[in-house]
Amino acid sequence: MGKAVTPHELKLKLVSGAQPLLLDVRRAEDRDKGGEGLPGAQWRDPAQLDTWAEGIPAGSEVTLFCVRGGGVSQSVQAALESRGVTARYIEGGIAAWNEAEGLRVDPDVRLLAEQGVGERGQYHAVQVASIALAVAGAQNAPVDLVLVRRGALLHDLGKVRDTGNLHGVAGGEMGRELGLPEPVIACIEKHVRHGVPEAEAAGYGLPVRDYAFVRVEERIVSYADKLADIMEAGLAESLADARARLPEILAANPALAKDKATEARYVASWGMLEDRG
């Protein structure tokens, strides 16, 4: 089990009926400024960890959070693990949880439901959008976050008509029928096989035209979709781990990489989007 859990993973666990002990370990001043945490969470002062940790039996399952899933959560998680407690922290902290909750009630998620996308597809869309926004926020150059959000939430719209390589094209057709903006439609159409150049389109059974990325937002949406696949397959301990090891993970999992050309395009995007310095 990894040390971190994404908001999406925790939401699925809670919906399934599992009830880990939820601990709010924000510093007192951060909690006072930040307001309420997760429903049912108990606040524990991280400065008093040695006092309250004794009351958590070894073998207990604990999920904890601070403001952004940084040093506070990670130090408490490590301390609890050393005492035999199964502890995980929310990646991105309460800020990421609140963002994900906002995504779940986004009008574009309602649109997915209206068009016949099931609950599982909606959860995946929210996961991709959350990851895409995290990647977008780490870029040095300006990124249109509204476009990233909408493109990510709607990227699999076309799966109600086609579940193969044509679902991007089908999603583009649906997007035009629904009056979606063309930049959003481009994100939908180009995410399949990660920006296929015109010369390779026929080989994937796609209508022959250029699906190569023009905007960085298109690249981010498709890249986030693959990171979500990695997370959902349990191939990384956390989103940070998936982002750090994407080339290694794809090389070891050919079915996830799809084919060598697609794998190479993902690895190229990894080099562009992740700050390795």
Side-chain angles (χ1 to χ4, degrees):
M1 180 181 290
K3 297 177 181 178
V5 60
T6 67
H8 176 75
E9 290 170 322
L10 178 58
K11 185 72 172 183
L12 291 179
K13 180 184 284 287
L14 296 175
V15 168
S16 74
Q19 291 295 327
L21 174 61
L22 294 174
L23 295 183
D24 177 351
V25 296
R26 289 176 292 177
R27 296 184 181 95
E29 59 270 25
D30 291 331
R31 183 170 179 263
D32 291 341
K33 289 187 295 185
E36 294 299 318
L38 273 66
Q42 304 173 28
W43 181 66
R44 295 290 185 271
D45 187 346
Q48 302 297 322
L49 185 146
D50 287 340
T51 300
W52 55 259
E54 294 177 357
I56 302 177
S60 299
E61 182 181 350
V62 173
T63 300
L64 52 92
F65 62 90
C66 62
V67 177
R68 295 195 176 276
V72 177
S73 285
Q74 293 176 34
S75 62
V76 173
Q77 185 273 336
L80 292 178
E81 285 278 353
S82 71
R83 297 168 184 259
V85 175
T86 301
R88 304 175 79 187
Y89 63 89
I90 299 177
E91 192 161 22
I94 190 64
W97 174 269
N98 288 337
E99 179 180 82
E101 288 296 282
L103 288 170
R104 289 186 184 95
V105 297
D106 190 284
D108 282 332
V109 176
R110 292 200 297 272
L111 177 62
L112 292 176
E114 291 166 0
Q115 296 303 310
V117 177
E119 189 171 290
R120 183 175 179 179
Q122 293 171 44
Y123 272 125
H124 176 71
V126 168
Q127 171 86 323
V128 172
S130 180
I131 293 171
L133 288 169
V135 172
Q139 302 307 301
N140 293 322
V143 178
D144 185 339
L145 297 181
V146 173
L147 176 55
V148 168
R149 183 185 182 110
R150 299 204 72 192
L153 286 173
L154 296 171
H155 75 284
D156 274 347
L157 174 65
K159 282 195 171 180
V160 299
R161 293 185 181 177
D162 186 278
T163 57
N165 283 350
L166 289 173
H167 75 269
V169 173
E173 293 170 353
M174 292 178 68
R176 292 186 179 92
E177 293 166 7
L178 293 165
L180 296 179
E182 282 297 325
V184 174
I185 291 171
C187 291
I188 295 171
E189 290 183 328
K190 295 179 179 182
H191 86 276
V192 176
R193 297 304 178 100
H194 203 62
V196 176
E198 183 173 4
E200 298 176 28
Y204 294 110
L206 297 171
V208 177
R209 59 176 186 262
D210 194 4
Y211 300 87
F213 301 128
V214 175
R215 298 179 177 88
V216 67
E217 294 83 2
E218 299 163 0
R219 186 181 302 278
I220 289 172
V221 167
S222 182
Y223 179 70
D225 187 29
K226 187 54 61 180
L227 288 171
D229 289 344
I230 290 170
M231 296 294 296
E232 290 166 6
L235 297 172
E237 290 190 349
S238 65
L239 176 57
D241 181 42
R243 291 176 65 178
R245 295 194 302 112
L246 179 135
E248 171 191 335
I249 294 169
L250 293 186
N253 296 274
L256 196 62
K258 302 298 186 182
D259 60 74
K260 287 298 183 183
T262 301
E263 179 182 348
R265 289 192 289 272
Y266 279 117
V267 173
S269 287
W270 176 79
M272 296 176 192
L273 298 173
E274 302 291 1
D275 182 3
R276 314 284 12 131

